[in-house]
Short mmCIF file of all heavy atoms in Angstrom, two decimals:
data_model
loop_
_atom_site.label_atom_id
_atom_site.label_comp_id
_atom_site.label_asym_id
_atom_site.label_seq_id
_atom_site.Cartn_x
_atom_site.Cartn_y
_atom_site.Cartn_z
N MET U 1 16.80 7.73 0.40
CA MET U 1 18.01 7.37 1.11
C MET U 1 18.49 6.02 0.57
O MET U 1 17.71 5.08 0.43
CB MET U 1 17.69 7.30 2.60
CG MET U 1 18.72 6.69 3.49
SD MET U 1 20.16 7.72 3.64
CE MET U 1 21.35 6.54 4.12
N ASP U 2 19.77 5.94 0.30
CA ASP U 2 20.37 4.70 -0.15
C ASP U 2 20.89 3.94 1.07
O ASP U 2 21.85 4.37 1.71
CB ASP U 2 21.51 4.99 -1.12
CG ASP U 2 22.19 3.74 -1.62
OD1 ASP U 2 21.72 2.62 -1.33
OD2 ASP U 2 23.23 3.88 -2.29
N TRP U 3 20.24 2.85 1.40
CA TRP U 3 20.59 2.08 2.59
C TRP U 3 21.61 0.99 2.30
O TRP U 3 21.92 0.17 3.17
CB TRP U 3 19.33 1.47 3.22
CG TRP U 3 18.42 2.50 3.80
CD1 TRP U 3 17.30 3.01 3.24
CD2 TRP U 3 18.57 3.17 5.05
NE1 TRP U 3 16.74 3.96 4.06
CE2 TRP U 3 17.51 4.08 5.18
CE3 TRP U 3 19.52 3.10 6.07
CZ2 TRP U 3 17.34 4.89 6.29
CZ3 TRP U 3 19.35 3.92 7.19
CH2 TRP U 3 18.28 4.80 7.29
N THR U 4 22.17 0.96 1.10
CA THR U 4 23.18 -0.02 0.74
C THR U 4 24.33 0.01 1.74
O THR U 4 24.86 1.08 2.05
CB THR U 4 23.72 0.25 -0.68
OG1 THR U 4 22.63 0.26 -1.58
CG2 THR U 4 24.72 -0.80 -1.09
N GLY U 5 24.70 -1.14 2.25
CA GLY U 5 25.81 -1.22 3.19
C GLY U 5 25.40 -1.14 4.65
O GLY U 5 26.23 -1.30 5.54
N CYS U 6 24.12 -0.90 4.91
CA CYS U 6 23.64 -0.84 6.29
C CYS U 6 23.14 -2.23 6.68
O CYS U 6 22.15 -2.73 6.13
CB CYS U 6 22.53 0.18 6.45
SG CYS U 6 21.95 0.33 8.15
N ASN U 7 23.82 -2.85 7.64
CA ASN U 7 23.45 -4.21 8.03
C ASN U 7 22.17 -4.27 8.86
O ASN U 7 21.71 -5.36 9.19
CB ASN U 7 24.61 -4.89 8.77
CG ASN U 7 24.96 -4.20 10.06
OD1 ASN U 7 24.50 -3.10 10.33
ND2 ASN U 7 25.79 -4.84 10.87
N LEU U 8 21.60 -3.14 9.18
CA LEU U 8 20.35 -3.11 9.95
C LEU U 8 19.12 -3.00 9.06
O LEU U 8 17.99 -3.00 9.55
CB LEU U 8 20.37 -1.93 10.94
CG LEU U 8 21.45 -1.98 12.00
CD1 LEU U 8 21.49 -0.66 12.77
CD2 LEU U 8 21.23 -3.14 12.94
N VAL U 9 19.34 -2.91 7.75
CA VAL U 9 18.24 -2.72 6.80
C VAL U 9 18.25 -3.85 5.79
O VAL U 9 19.32 -4.29 5.36
CB VAL U 9 18.38 -1.35 6.09
CG1 VAL U 9 17.36 -1.20 4.99
CG2 VAL U 9 18.25 -0.21 7.10
N GLU U 10 17.05 -4.29 5.43
CA GLU U 10 16.93 -5.33 4.40
C GLU U 10 15.93 -4.89 3.34
O GLU U 10 15.03 -4.10 3.61
CB GLU U 10 16.50 -6.66 5.01
CG GLU U 10 15.13 -6.66 5.64
CD GLU U 10 14.77 -7.98 6.30
OE1 GLU U 10 15.46 -8.97 6.07
OE2 GLU U 10 13.78 -8.01 7.04
N ILE U 11 16.15 -5.40 2.14
CA ILE U 11 15.21 -5.15 1.04
C ILE U 11 14.75 -6.52 0.56
O ILE U 11 15.55 -7.32 0.09
CB ILE U 11 15.88 -4.37 -0.10
CG1 ILE U 11 16.34 -3.00 0.42
CG2 ILE U 11 14.93 -4.22 -1.27
CD1 ILE U 11 17.18 -2.22 -0.56
N ASP U 12 13.46 -6.75 0.74
CA ASP U 12 12.87 -8.04 0.39
C ASP U 12 11.59 -7.75 -0.39
O ASP U 12 10.68 -7.09 0.13
CB ASP U 12 12.56 -8.82 1.67
CG ASP U 12 11.93 -10.17 1.42
OD1 ASP U 12 11.49 -10.46 0.28
OD2 ASP U 12 11.87 -10.97 2.38
N PRO U 13 11.52 -8.21 -1.65
CA PRO U 13 10.33 -7.94 -2.45
C PRO U 13 9.03 -8.44 -1.80
O PRO U 13 7.95 -7.96 -2.12
CB PRO U 13 10.58 -8.68 -3.76
CG PRO U 13 11.98 -9.13 -3.74
CD PRO U 13 12.50 -8.99 -2.35
N GLU U 14 9.15 -9.36 -0.86
CA GLU U 14 7.97 -9.90 -0.17
C GLU U 14 7.53 -9.03 1.01
O GLU U 14 6.48 -9.28 1.60
CB GLU U 14 8.26 -11.32 0.32
CG GLU U 14 8.64 -12.29 -0.77
CD GLU U 14 7.51 -12.57 -1.73
OE1 GLU U 14 6.36 -12.73 -1.29
OE2 GLU U 14 7.78 -12.60 -2.95
N LYS U 15 8.35 -8.05 1.38
CA LYS U 15 8.01 -7.15 2.50
C LYS U 15 7.84 -5.73 1.99
O LYS U 15 8.75 -5.17 1.38
CB LYS U 15 9.13 -7.15 3.55
CG LYS U 15 9.24 -8.39 4.38
CD LYS U 15 10.29 -8.20 5.45
CE LYS U 15 10.42 -9.40 6.34
NZ LYS U 15 11.45 -9.20 7.36
N VAL U 16 6.69 -5.18 2.22
CA VAL U 16 6.39 -3.78 1.91
C VAL U 16 6.82 -3.44 0.48
O VAL U 16 7.45 -2.41 0.23
CB VAL U 16 7.02 -2.82 2.94
CG1 VAL U 16 6.41 -1.43 2.85
CG2 VAL U 16 6.87 -3.34 4.36
N CYS U 17 6.55 -4.34 -0.45
CA CYS U 17 6.84 -4.14 -1.88
C CYS U 17 8.30 -3.81 -2.17
O CYS U 17 8.61 -3.06 -3.09
CB CYS U 17 5.93 -3.05 -2.45
SG CYS U 17 4.19 -3.45 -2.36
N GLY U 18 9.21 -4.34 -1.38
CA GLY U 18 10.62 -4.11 -1.62
C GLY U 18 11.18 -2.82 -1.05
O GLY U 18 12.34 -2.48 -1.29
N THR U 19 10.38 -2.12 -0.27
CA THR U 19 10.86 -0.91 0.40
C THR U 19 11.91 -1.31 1.44
O THR U 19 11.72 -2.31 2.14
CB THR U 19 9.68 -0.20 1.12
OG1 THR U 19 8.72 0.17 0.13
CG2 THR U 19 10.13 1.02 1.89
N PRO U 20 13.00 -0.55 1.57
CA PRO U 20 13.98 -0.87 2.61
C PRO U 20 13.33 -0.79 4.00
O PRO U 20 12.71 0.22 4.34
CB PRO U 20 15.05 0.20 2.45
CG PRO U 20 14.91 0.67 1.04
CD PRO U 20 13.45 0.57 0.73
N VAL U 21 13.43 -1.89 4.74
CA VAL U 21 12.83 -1.95 6.08
C VAL U 21 13.90 -2.31 7.10
O VAL U 21 14.95 -2.87 6.75
CB VAL U 21 11.68 -2.99 6.15
CG1 VAL U 21 10.52 -2.58 5.26
CG2 VAL U 21 12.17 -4.38 5.83
N VAL U 22 13.63 -1.99 8.35
CA VAL U 22 14.51 -2.39 9.43
C VAL U 22 14.49 -3.91 9.48
O VAL U 22 13.42 -4.53 9.47
CB VAL U 22 14.08 -1.77 10.78
CG1 VAL U 22 15.02 -2.20 11.89
CG2 VAL U 22 14.02 -0.25 10.68
N LYS U 23 15.66 -4.51 9.49
CA LYS U 23 15.79 -5.96 9.42
C LYS U 23 14.92 -6.65 10.47
O LYS U 23 14.90 -6.26 11.63
CB LYS U 23 17.25 -6.36 9.62
CG LYS U 23 17.55 -7.77 9.20
CD LYS U 23 19.03 -8.06 9.23
CE LYS U 23 19.64 -7.54 7.94
NZ LYS U 23 21.04 -7.91 7.78
N GLY U 24 14.18 -7.65 10.02
CA GLY U 24 13.33 -8.42 10.92
C GLY U 24 11.99 -7.78 11.22
O GLY U 24 11.23 -8.29 12.04
N THR U 25 11.71 -6.63 10.56
CA THR U 25 10.44 -5.94 10.79
C THR U 25 9.82 -5.58 9.45
O THR U 25 10.37 -5.88 8.40
CB THR U 25 10.63 -4.63 11.59
OG1 THR U 25 11.20 -3.63 10.74
CG2 THR U 25 11.50 -4.84 12.81
N ARG U 26 8.71 -4.88 9.51
CA ARG U 26 8.09 -4.30 8.33
C ARG U 26 8.10 -2.78 8.42
O ARG U 26 7.37 -2.10 7.71
CB ARG U 26 6.67 -4.83 8.17
CG ARG U 26 6.62 -6.34 7.93
CD ARG U 26 5.22 -6.88 7.80
NE ARG U 26 4.57 -6.43 6.58
CZ ARG U 26 4.71 -6.99 5.38
NH1 ARG U 26 5.51 -8.03 5.24
NH2 ARG U 26 4.08 -6.53 4.33
N VAL U 27 8.94 -2.25 9.30
CA VAL U 27 9.04 -0.79 9.50
C VAL U 27 9.97 -0.21 8.43
O VAL U 27 11.15 -0.54 8.40
CB VAL U 27 9.58 -0.46 10.91
CG1 VAL U 27 9.72 1.04 11.09
CG2 VAL U 27 8.68 -1.05 11.99
N PRO U 28 9.45 0.66 7.57
CA PRO U 28 10.31 1.29 6.57
C PRO U 28 11.40 2.12 7.25
O PRO U 28 11.13 2.92 8.15
CB PRO U 28 9.35 2.18 5.78
CG PRO U 28 8.00 1.59 6.00
CD PRO U 28 8.04 1.02 7.40
N ALA U 29 12.62 1.91 6.82
CA ALA U 29 13.75 2.61 7.43
C ALA U 29 13.63 4.12 7.29
O ALA U 29 13.99 4.87 8.21
CB ALA U 29 15.06 2.12 6.82
N ASP U 30 13.10 4.60 6.18
CA ASP U 30 12.98 6.03 5.97
C ASP U 30 12.05 6.71 6.97
O ASP U 30 12.18 7.90 7.24
CB ASP U 30 12.50 6.33 4.55
CG ASP U 30 13.58 6.08 3.50
OD1 ASP U 30 14.78 5.97 3.87
OD2 ASP U 30 13.23 6.00 2.31
N VAL U 31 11.11 5.94 7.54
CA VAL U 31 10.19 6.51 8.53
C VAL U 31 10.97 7.06 9.73
O VAL U 31 10.61 8.08 10.30
CB VAL U 31 9.15 5.46 8.97
CG1 VAL U 31 8.39 5.90 10.21
CG2 VAL U 31 8.19 5.17 7.85
N LEU U 32 12.06 6.39 10.08
CA LEU U 32 12.86 6.84 11.22
C LEU U 32 13.49 8.20 10.94
O LEU U 32 13.63 9.03 11.84
CB LEU U 32 13.94 5.81 11.55
CG LEU U 32 13.42 4.39 11.77
CD1 LEU U 32 14.58 3.45 12.03
CD2 LEU U 32 12.41 4.34 12.88
N LEU U 33 13.84 8.44 9.69
CA LEU U 33 14.42 9.73 9.31
C LEU U 33 13.36 10.82 9.25
O LEU U 33 13.61 11.95 9.65
CB LEU U 33 15.13 9.61 7.97
CG LEU U 33 16.21 8.55 7.88
CD1 LEU U 33 16.85 8.56 6.50
CD2 LEU U 33 17.26 8.74 8.97
N VAL U 34 12.18 10.46 8.78
CA VAL U 34 11.08 11.43 8.74
C VAL U 34 10.73 11.86 10.16
O VAL U 34 10.54 13.05 10.43
CB VAL U 34 9.85 10.84 8.01
CG1 VAL U 34 8.64 11.76 8.15
CG2 VAL U 34 10.18 10.60 6.54
N ASP U 35 10.66 10.90 11.08
CA ASP U 35 10.39 11.23 12.47
C ASP U 35 11.43 12.23 12.99
O ASP U 35 11.09 13.19 13.66
CB ASP U 35 10.42 9.98 13.35
CG ASP U 35 9.06 9.32 13.50
OD1 ASP U 35 8.13 9.71 12.76
OD2 ASP U 35 8.93 8.44 14.35
N GLU U 36 12.69 11.98 12.66
CA GLU U 36 13.75 12.87 13.12
C GLU U 36 13.58 14.27 12.52
O GLU U 36 13.77 15.28 13.21
CB GLU U 36 15.12 12.30 12.76
CG GLU U 36 16.27 13.13 13.28
CD GLU U 36 17.62 12.55 12.95
OE1 GLU U 36 17.77 11.97 11.85
OE2 GLU U 36 18.51 12.69 13.78
N GLU U 37 13.23 14.34 11.24
CA GLU U 37 13.00 15.63 10.59
C GLU U 37 11.88 16.42 11.27
O GLU U 37 11.91 17.64 11.30
CB GLU U 37 12.69 15.44 9.11
CG GLU U 37 13.90 15.02 8.30
CD GLU U 37 13.56 14.71 6.86
OE1 GLU U 37 12.41 14.95 6.43
OE2 GLU U 37 14.46 14.22 6.16
N TYR U 38 10.91 15.70 11.81
CA TYR U 38 9.82 16.34 12.54
C TYR U 38 10.20 16.67 13.98
O TYR U 38 9.37 17.15 14.75
CB TYR U 38 8.56 15.47 12.52
CG TYR U 38 7.81 15.53 11.22
CD1 TYR U 38 7.59 14.40 10.46
CD2 TYR U 38 7.31 16.74 10.74
CE1 TYR U 38 6.90 14.44 9.26
CE2 TYR U 38 6.62 16.81 9.54
CZ TYR U 38 6.42 15.67 8.81
OH TYR U 38 5.72 15.72 7.62
N GLY U 39 11.44 16.39 14.34
CA GLY U 39 11.91 16.74 15.67
C GLY U 39 11.67 15.69 16.73
O GLY U 39 11.86 15.95 17.92
N ARG U 40 11.26 14.51 16.33
CA ARG U 40 11.01 13.44 17.31
C ARG U 40 12.32 12.82 17.74
O ARG U 40 13.20 12.54 16.93
CB ARG U 40 10.09 12.38 16.71
CG ARG U 40 8.71 12.97 16.36
CD ARG U 40 7.72 11.94 15.99
NE ARG U 40 7.30 11.29 17.23
CZ ARG U 40 6.76 10.10 17.29
NH1 ARG U 40 6.58 9.40 16.20
NH2 ARG U 40 6.40 9.58 18.43
N THR U 41 12.44 12.60 19.02
CA THR U 41 13.63 11.94 19.56
C THR U 41 13.56 10.45 19.27
O THR U 41 12.50 9.92 18.90
CB THR U 41 13.72 12.14 21.08
OG1 THR U 41 12.62 11.44 21.70
CG2 THR U 41 13.71 13.60 21.48
N ALA U 42 14.68 9.77 19.45
CA ALA U 42 14.70 8.32 19.26
C ALA U 42 13.73 7.64 20.22
O ALA U 42 13.07 6.66 19.86
CB ALA U 42 16.11 7.78 19.44
N GLU U 43 13.61 8.17 21.42
CA GLU U 43 12.69 7.60 22.42
C GLU U 43 11.23 7.75 21.96
O GLU U 43 10.43 6.84 22.13
CB GLU U 43 12.89 8.26 23.78
CG GLU U 43 14.20 7.89 24.45
CD GLU U 43 15.43 8.64 23.89
OE1 GLU U 43 15.27 9.64 23.13
OE2 GLU U 43 16.55 8.20 24.20
N GLN U 44 10.91 8.89 21.37
CA GLN U 44 9.55 9.10 20.88
C GLN U 44 9.25 8.17 19.71
O GLN U 44 8.16 7.61 19.61
CB GLN U 44 9.35 10.56 20.47
CG GLN U 44 9.31 11.51 21.65
CD GLN U 44 9.37 12.97 21.23
OE1 GLN U 44 10.11 13.34 20.32
NE2 GLN U 44 8.60 13.81 21.93
N THR U 45 10.23 7.99 18.83
CA THR U 45 10.06 7.06 17.72
C THR U 45 9.90 5.64 18.24
O THR U 45 9.06 4.88 17.76
CB THR U 45 11.25 7.17 16.74
OG1 THR U 45 11.30 8.49 16.22
CG2 THR U 45 11.12 6.19 15.59
N HIS U 46 10.67 5.28 19.25
CA HIS U 46 10.55 3.96 19.88
C HIS U 46 9.13 3.75 20.43
O HIS U 46 8.59 2.65 20.31
CB HIS U 46 11.57 3.81 20.99
CG HIS U 46 11.34 2.64 21.88
ND1 HIS U 46 11.55 1.33 21.47
CD2 HIS U 46 10.88 2.57 23.15
CE1 HIS U 46 11.23 0.52 22.47
NE2 HIS U 46 10.82 1.24 23.49
N ASN U 47 8.54 4.79 20.98
CA ASN U 47 7.17 4.66 21.50
C ASN U 47 6.19 4.33 20.39
O ASN U 47 5.21 3.62 20.61
CB ASN U 47 6.76 5.93 22.23
CG ASN U 47 7.46 6.09 23.56
OD1 ASN U 47 7.94 5.12 24.14
ND2 ASN U 47 7.59 7.33 24.02
N SER U 48 6.46 4.83 19.17
CA SER U 48 5.60 4.53 18.03
C SER U 48 5.88 3.14 17.46
O SER U 48 4.98 2.50 16.90
CB SER U 48 5.80 5.56 16.92
OG SER U 48 5.41 6.84 17.36
N PHE U 49 7.13 2.70 17.57
CA PHE U 49 7.56 1.40 17.05
C PHE U 49 8.29 0.65 18.15
O PHE U 49 9.52 0.53 18.13
CB PHE U 49 8.48 1.60 15.83
CG PHE U 49 7.86 2.39 14.72
CD1 PHE U 49 8.14 3.74 14.57
CD2 PHE U 49 6.98 1.80 13.83
CE1 PHE U 49 7.57 4.48 13.56
CE2 PHE U 49 6.40 2.53 12.81
CZ PHE U 49 6.69 3.88 12.67
N PRO U 50 7.57 0.14 19.15
CA PRO U 50 8.20 -0.46 20.33
C PRO U 50 9.06 -1.69 20.04
O PRO U 50 9.88 -2.07 20.87
CB PRO U 50 7.04 -0.80 21.24
CG PRO U 50 5.81 -0.68 20.44
CD PRO U 50 6.12 0.15 19.24
N THR U 51 8.93 -2.28 18.85
CA THR U 51 9.80 -3.42 18.53
C THR U 51 11.21 -2.98 18.16
O THR U 51 12.12 -3.80 18.10
CB THR U 51 9.22 -4.24 17.35
OG1 THR U 51 9.09 -3.38 16.22
CG2 THR U 51 7.88 -4.85 17.72
N LEU U 52 11.40 -1.67 17.92
CA LEU U 52 12.72 -1.14 17.58
C LEU U 52 13.38 -0.55 18.81
O LEU U 52 12.89 0.42 19.37
CB LEU U 52 12.60 -0.04 16.52
CG LEU U 52 12.03 -0.44 15.17
CD1 LEU U 52 11.99 0.77 14.25
CD2 LEU U 52 12.86 -1.55 14.56
N PRO U 53 14.50 -1.11 19.21
CA PRO U 53 15.23 -0.52 20.35
C PRO U 53 15.75 0.86 20.00
O PRO U 53 16.06 1.16 18.85
CB PRO U 53 16.39 -1.49 20.57
CG PRO U 53 16.04 -2.74 19.83
CD PRO U 53 15.13 -2.33 18.72
N VAL U 54 15.84 1.71 21.00
CA VAL U 54 16.36 3.07 20.82
C VAL U 54 17.76 3.03 20.20
O VAL U 54 18.09 3.83 19.32
CB VAL U 54 16.36 3.85 22.16
CG1 VAL U 54 17.08 5.17 22.04
CG2 VAL U 54 14.92 4.06 22.64
N THR U 55 18.57 2.06 20.61
CA THR U 55 19.93 1.97 20.06
C THR U 55 19.90 1.71 18.56
O THR U 55 20.70 2.28 17.81
CB THR U 55 20.75 0.86 20.76
OG1 THR U 55 20.03 -0.37 20.69
CG2 THR U 55 21.02 1.21 22.20
N THR U 56 18.97 0.89 18.09
CA THR U 56 18.85 0.62 16.65
C THR U 56 18.42 1.88 15.92
O THR U 56 18.96 2.19 14.85
CB THR U 56 17.84 -0.53 16.41
OG1 THR U 56 18.32 -1.71 17.06
CG2 THR U 56 17.65 -0.79 14.93
N ILE U 57 17.47 2.60 16.46
CA ILE U 57 17.02 3.85 15.85
C ILE U 57 18.19 4.81 15.73
O ILE U 57 18.41 5.41 14.67
CB ILE U 57 15.85 4.46 16.66
CG1 ILE U 57 14.63 3.54 16.61
CG2 ILE U 57 15.51 5.86 16.15
CD1 ILE U 57 13.55 3.85 17.61
N ASN U 58 18.95 4.95 16.79
CA ASN U 58 20.10 5.86 16.77
C ASN U 58 21.15 5.40 15.76
O ASN U 58 21.75 6.22 15.06
CB ASN U 58 20.72 5.99 18.16
CG ASN U 58 19.89 6.88 19.06
OD1 ASN U 58 19.25 7.82 18.61
ND2 ASN U 58 19.90 6.57 20.34
N GLN U 59 21.38 4.10 15.66
CA GLN U 59 22.37 3.58 14.70
C GLN U 59 21.92 3.84 13.26
O GLN U 59 22.73 4.21 12.42
CB GLN U 59 22.58 2.08 14.92
CG GLN U 59 23.33 1.76 16.17
CD GLN U 59 23.36 0.26 16.46
OE1 GLN U 59 22.45 -0.46 16.09
NE2 GLN U 59 24.41 -0.18 17.12
N LEU U 60 20.65 3.67 12.99
CA LEU U 60 20.14 3.92 11.65
C LEU U 60 20.22 5.41 11.30
O LEU U 60 20.59 5.77 10.18
CB LEU U 60 18.70 3.41 11.53
CG LEU U 60 18.58 1.90 11.48
CD1 LEU U 60 17.14 1.47 11.74
CD2 LEU U 60 19.04 1.38 10.13
N ARG U 61 19.90 6.25 12.25
CA ARG U 61 20.00 7.69 12.00
C ARG U 61 21.45 8.10 11.78
O ARG U 61 21.74 8.90 10.89
CB ARG U 61 19.40 8.47 13.18
CG ARG U 61 17.88 8.38 13.22
CD ARG U 61 17.32 9.13 14.40
NE ARG U 61 15.86 9.13 14.38
CZ ARG U 61 15.11 9.71 15.30
NH1 ARG U 61 15.68 10.35 16.32
NH2 ARG U 61 13.80 9.68 15.21
N ALA U 62 22.36 7.53 12.55
CA ALA U 62 23.78 7.84 12.38
C ALA U 62 24.27 7.39 11.00
O ALA U 62 25.03 8.10 10.33
CB ALA U 62 24.61 7.19 13.48
N PHE U 63 23.85 6.21 10.56
CA PHE U 63 24.22 5.72 9.23
C PHE U 63 23.73 6.70 8.17
O PHE U 63 24.47 7.06 7.26
CB PHE U 63 23.63 4.33 8.98
CG PHE U 63 23.94 3.80 7.62
CD1 PHE U 63 25.11 3.10 7.40
CD2 PHE U 63 23.06 3.99 6.56
CE1 PHE U 63 25.41 2.61 6.12
CE2 PHE U 63 23.35 3.52 5.30
CZ PHE U 63 24.53 2.82 5.07
N ALA U 64 22.48 7.12 8.28
CA ALA U 64 21.91 8.05 7.30
C ALA U 64 22.68 9.36 7.28
O ALA U 64 22.97 9.91 6.21
CB ALA U 64 20.43 8.29 7.61
N HIS U 65 23.03 9.88 8.45
CA HIS U 65 23.78 11.13 8.52
C HIS U 65 25.16 10.98 7.90
O HIS U 65 25.67 11.92 7.29
CB HIS U 65 23.89 11.63 9.97
CG HIS U 65 22.61 12.17 10.49
ND1 HIS U 65 22.08 13.36 10.09
CD2 HIS U 65 21.73 11.65 11.38
CE1 HIS U 65 20.94 13.58 10.72
NE2 HIS U 65 20.69 12.54 11.50
N SER U 66 25.76 9.82 8.03
CA SER U 66 27.09 9.60 7.45
C SER U 66 27.03 9.53 5.93
O SER U 66 28.05 9.69 5.27
CB SER U 66 27.71 8.31 8.01
OG SER U 66 27.11 7.16 7.43
N ARG U 67 25.87 9.32 5.39
CA ARG U 67 25.70 9.21 3.94
C ARG U 67 25.23 10.50 3.29
O ARG U 67 25.17 10.58 2.08
CB ARG U 67 24.68 8.11 3.61
CG ARG U 67 25.14 6.72 3.95
CD ARG U 67 26.31 6.37 3.05
NE ARG U 67 26.75 5.02 3.21
CZ ARG U 67 26.50 4.04 2.36
NH1 ARG U 67 25.78 4.25 1.29
NH2 ARG U 67 26.98 2.84 2.59
N LYS U 68 24.85 11.50 4.09
CA LYS U 68 24.37 12.75 3.50
C LYS U 68 25.51 13.46 2.80
O LYS U 68 26.61 13.56 3.34
CB LYS U 68 23.79 13.67 4.58
CG LYS U 68 22.41 13.30 5.02
CD LYS U 68 21.84 14.35 5.92
CE LYS U 68 20.44 13.99 6.33
NZ LYS U 68 19.87 14.99 7.23
N PRO U 69 25.25 13.96 1.62
CA PRO U 69 26.31 14.70 0.92
C PRO U 69 26.65 15.99 1.68
O PRO U 69 25.77 16.64 2.23
CB PRO U 69 25.71 15.01 -0.45
CG PRO U 69 24.24 14.76 -0.34
CD PRO U 69 24.01 13.90 0.86
N GLN U 70 27.92 16.28 1.72
CA GLN U 70 28.37 17.50 2.37
C GLN U 70 28.22 18.67 1.40
O GLN U 70 28.56 18.56 0.22
CB GLN U 70 29.85 17.37 2.79
CG GLN U 70 30.09 16.23 3.77
CD GLN U 70 29.35 16.43 5.08
OE1 GLN U 70 29.30 17.53 5.61
NE2 GLN U 70 28.77 15.37 5.58
N LEU U 71 27.70 19.78 1.91
CA LEU U 71 27.54 20.97 1.07
C LEU U 71 28.89 21.64 0.86
O LEU U 71 29.68 21.76 1.80
CB LEU U 71 26.57 21.95 1.74
CG LEU U 71 25.14 21.46 1.91
CD1 LEU U 71 24.31 22.50 2.64
CD2 LEU U 71 24.50 21.18 0.55
N GLN U 72 29.13 22.04 -0.34
CA GLN U 72 30.38 22.74 -0.65
C GLN U 72 30.14 24.24 -0.53
O GLN U 72 29.13 24.75 -0.98
CB GLN U 72 30.82 22.41 -2.09
CG GLN U 72 31.10 20.94 -2.30
CD GLN U 72 32.25 20.45 -1.45
OE1 GLN U 72 33.24 21.14 -1.29
NE2 GLN U 72 32.12 19.26 -0.89
N PRO U 73 31.10 24.98 0.07
CA PRO U 73 30.92 26.45 0.21
C PRO U 73 31.01 27.15 -1.11
O PRO U 73 31.51 26.72 -2.07
CB PRO U 73 32.09 26.86 1.12
CG PRO U 73 33.02 25.71 1.18
CD PRO U 73 32.30 24.50 0.65
#
């Protein structure tokens, strides 16, 4: 996932080897999408990462969905 333009994600070579993480944390942003693919709700993901508010999780998921390429018929 290309997180360019998402103000909730940062890339810092000093954090998790430069993996895009949720700003101010060490939580990889892609983990939130993997959780969603497994059917986990934002609340369930929050239970795993209590430092992330549900609203932030939902905003990150919405950003990712807005970036998915649309399938052509």
Side-chain angles (χ1 to χ4, degrees):
M1 168 70 202
D2 179 7
W3 292 101
T4 304
C6 182
N7 63 348
L8 297 172
V9 173
E10 64 183 347
I11 298 172
D12 180 347
E14 301 294 318
K15 287 185 179 179
V16 196
C17 298
T19 299
V21 295
V22 180
K23 196 172 278 187
T25 75
R26 296 179 69 82
V27 178
D30 287 344
V31 167
L32 307 178
L33 304 181
V34 171
D35 269 11
E36 184 179 36
E37 288 175 7
Y38 282 121
R40 298 189 76 201
T41 66
E43 290 78 12
Q44 289 169 320
T45 299
H46 167 72
N47 288 337
S48 296
F49 303 99
T51 58
L52 298 180
V54 171
T55 55
T56 299
I57 295 166
N58 284 328
Q59 289 172 331
L60 288 164
R61 288 179 176 180
F63 178 87
H65 287 288
S66 74
R67 293 294 185 104
K68 282 188 179 179
Q70 299 298 319
L71 296 177
Q72 299 297 321

